[in-house]
Amino acid sequence: MSNTGNLESTCIFCKIINGESPSRIVYRDDLVTAFHDIHPVAPLHILIIPNKHFHSLNLANIEDEPLLGHLLTVAHQIAIRVGVEQSGYRLILNTGPDAGQAVFHLHFHLIGGRRMRFPMG
Ligand code: AMP
Ligand code: ZN
């Protein structure tokens, strides 16, 4: 299965990418966009998304590996930029119903600024 490679008119994150929906963008390049979550669960809560529509990680293919890797290196760069690289941060990628995925455009949550609970789940 492949992703659409396009923006989806009904997807809230695609609307953020094309500027139709407001957001507090913290980083943007040709491949990814990062912006503050509207309902933060930690002092720092940023979403990092690909600039093309993926329903979920389940739609990613081998040719998407460079893009998926880029999402991670951008997460690190943002962690440096917002000052949590040393204090620590957590990346979360919810996929499907049991994980509680609510927005079906692949996204990493980058959360930090407080001590995280562990074990997770
Ligand atoms: P998930 O449960 O992993 O699908 O998380 C979706 C996240 O998107 C939640 O943390 C929401 O608060 C966040 N969210 C939904 N709509 C927006 C929006 N318009 N701008 C910023 N964050 C949003
Ligand atoms: Zn989308």
Side-chain angles (χ1 to χ4, degrees), residues 12-13 16 21-24 35-41 45 47 92-95 99-105 107 109:
I12 182 63
F13 287 177
I16 286 173
S21 194
S23 65
R24 290 167 56 215
F35 52 93
H36 287 279
D37 196 293
I38 37 167
H39 295 123
V41 300
H45 188 168
L47 300 173
I92 300 159
L93 197 170
N94 292 322
T95 304
Q101 184 180 2
V103 176
F104 288 89
H105 179 129
H107 52 278
H109 299 252

